[in-house]
């Protein structure tokens, strides 16, 4: 028997890439690969990349440069680039970095086994098609490994919204929903392998409209189907667009006990002028009214959002409107970014905001968010929350997990197992986590 080949995967970007990396490891598992955490002893290195901001894309080239030495030591080492940079810059990657053997876009990774075989004969392999066949179905499942208690499950991919700043519609293609039965089969399989919490993923997950037995299912209908799976305790979904927050989904937040009280609902800006220029098709006010309806359905829901500062033409008054919106919502988490020019997107051609203005705004916005996050976290003290334990903490006897609101929680001297869900009273609030004790 030959020794298994070793695969090192490094994942950048969003959770969809995390899910894809798992699937790619399974696909290459069929080729005799096992995963390693160490690039130094790998036979294949795969970078699963992100193109969303310039820095993310540039990182790939600097990372690739670092593999030169490894390739010199081991000429059989194969280097592959997957994900959104692969999709956007496929051939350019091969040109800029000759040590790359393989480039595979996010819609083609079910073809990896055959591409890998080609690289073994000394060829280069590039595939950035948007093929007709369902990549999820084509993937061989490598021997089913036991799983941790939480898992991602991609249900929808791509985007038709074309926000003026964003590359996703170009790198991930048009919006496609997976059929419900395949998702449910995958979910049952995950639960059999020990998963207790599933996060449904999609670039616009709430636009889900996958085929079901009696016609297309909405995301809420899919959630209710998942709700029937014994052993599955928690359901989450991300990322949602405000315009696709359907009534049945809002209602499910109030009535489906397995659906966790957490919602990531990016708004990007609080200025109607900027929202319009971003092609977001919602206003600050329609967003705020939506939040109100969601909170009526589920008053304790924790909200998170994404913000872009320094979008072309953003004035100080526009930026102030974003701060005002943040004040009004009260986010439990928020992710904020300086606008990054992406070639090929409409906003790239417009007059840009100066870098130091962007930096200043980002700093101010983050100060407000940090303050808010901390206030939300501190308000949890003395409350009883439910924690899904995921792994031992850093200190002896300590266990860590996540609350229904997605706060990281540590419990000292916790006699619980990974995968247990227990009531915990919050006794402290740290920088990025809560501490508690079992009730
Ligand atoms: N589909 C999701 C988010 C996709 S990208 C949605 O519509 O909300 C994740 C986040 O990256 C976005 O919400 C946005 O805040 C940020 N982002 C996208 N393009 C960007 C750009 N060109 N510059 C800075 N941030 C960007
Ligand atoms: Fe990008 Fe907008 Fe689509 Fe989100 S909705 S992926 S920000 S184009
Ligand atoms: Fe990045 Fe592609 Fe995700 S650009 S954020 S990895 S969809």
């Amino acid at each position: 028997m030959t020794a298994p080949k070793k695969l090192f995967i490094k994942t950048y970007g969003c959770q969809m890439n995390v899910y894809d990396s798992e699937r790619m490891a399974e696909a290459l598992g069929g080729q005799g690969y096992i995963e390693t955490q160490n690039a130094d002893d790998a036979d294949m290195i795969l970078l699963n990349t992100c193109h969303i901001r310039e820095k993310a894309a540039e990182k790939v080239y600097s990372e690739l440069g670092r593999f030169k030495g490894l390739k010199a030591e081991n000429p059989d080492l194969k280097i592959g680039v997957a994900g959104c940079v692969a999709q956007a810059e496929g051939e350019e990657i091969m040109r800029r970095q000759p040590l790359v053997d393989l480039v595979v876009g996010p819609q083609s990774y079910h073809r990896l086994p055959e591409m890998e075989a080609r690289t073994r004969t000394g060829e280069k392999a590039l595939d950035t098609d948007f093929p007709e066949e369902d990549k999820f179905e084509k993937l061989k499942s490598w021997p089913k490994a036991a799983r941790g208690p939480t898992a991602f499950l991609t249900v929808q991919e791509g985007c038709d919204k074309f926000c003026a700043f964003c590359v996703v519609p170009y790198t991930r293609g048009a919006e496609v929903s997976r059929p419900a039965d395949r998702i449910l089969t995958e979910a049952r399989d995950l639960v059999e392998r020990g998963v207790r919490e599933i996060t449904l993923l999609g670039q616009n997950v709430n636009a889900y409209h996958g085929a079901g037995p009696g016609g297309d299912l909405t995301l809420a209908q899919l959630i209710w189907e998942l709700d029937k799976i014994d052993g599955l305790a928690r359901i989450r979904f991300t990322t949602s667009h405000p315009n696709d927050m359907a009534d049945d989904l809002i209602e499910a937040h109030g009535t489906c006990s397995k659906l966790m009280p957490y919602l990531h609902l990016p708004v990007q800006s609080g200025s109607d002028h900027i929202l319009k220029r971003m092609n977001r098709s919602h206003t600050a006010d329609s967003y705020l009214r939506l939040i109100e309806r969601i909170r009526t359905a589920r008053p304790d829901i924790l909200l998170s959002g994404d913000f872009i500062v320094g979008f072309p033409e953003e004035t100080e008054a526009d930026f102030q409107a974003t701060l005002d919106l943040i004040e009004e919502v009260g986010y439990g988490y928020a992710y904020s970014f300086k606008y990054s020019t992406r070639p090929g997107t409409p906003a790239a051609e417009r007059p840009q905001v100066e870098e130091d203005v962007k930096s200043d705004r980002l700093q101010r916005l983050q100060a407000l968010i940090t303050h808010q996050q901390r206030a939300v976290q501190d308000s949890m003290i003395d409350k009883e929350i439910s924690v899904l334990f995921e792994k031992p903490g850093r200190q002896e006897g300590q266990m860590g997990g996540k609350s229904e609101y997605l706060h990281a929680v540590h419990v000292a001297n916790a006699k619980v197992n990974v995968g247990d869900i227990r009531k915990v009273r919050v006794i402290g609030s740290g920088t990025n986590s809560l501490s508690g004790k079992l009730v």
Side-chain angles (χ1 to χ4, degrees), residues 244-260:
D244 293 314
M245 235 19 241
D247 291 349
D248 62 349
L249 188 57
I250 297 177
E251 198 184 313
H253 269 294
T255 50
C256 180
S257 57
K258 289 188 184 179
L259 185 57
M260 293 295 101

Side-chain angles (χ1 to χ4, degrees), residues 137-210:
E137 288 309 295
K138 292 264 169 177
L139 287 173
K140 273 197 214 122
S141 271
W142 186 232
K144 308 253 184 251
R147 298 279 316 220
T150 63
F152 293 133
L153 204 177
T154 295
V155 303
Q156 178 276 340
E157 279 198 289
C159 181
D160 296 336
K161 298 251 183 328
F162 291 93
C163 299
F165 49 81
C166 183
V167 293
V168 170
Y170 311 96
T171 61
R172 294 277 175 162
E175 207 174 287
V176 182
S177 295
R178 294 178 67 194
D181 58 344
R182 294 184 187 162
I183 294 165
L184 292 168
T185 305
E186 197 171 323
R188 283 188 212 103
D189 176 62
L190 287 169
V191 171
E192 272 166 29
R193 288 151 73 193
V195 168
R196 304 215 63 198
E197 173 182 300
I198 291 180
T199 303
L200 306 175
L201 299 181
Q203 266 90 19
N204 275 290
V205 72
N206 57 345
Y208 177 81
H209 55 93

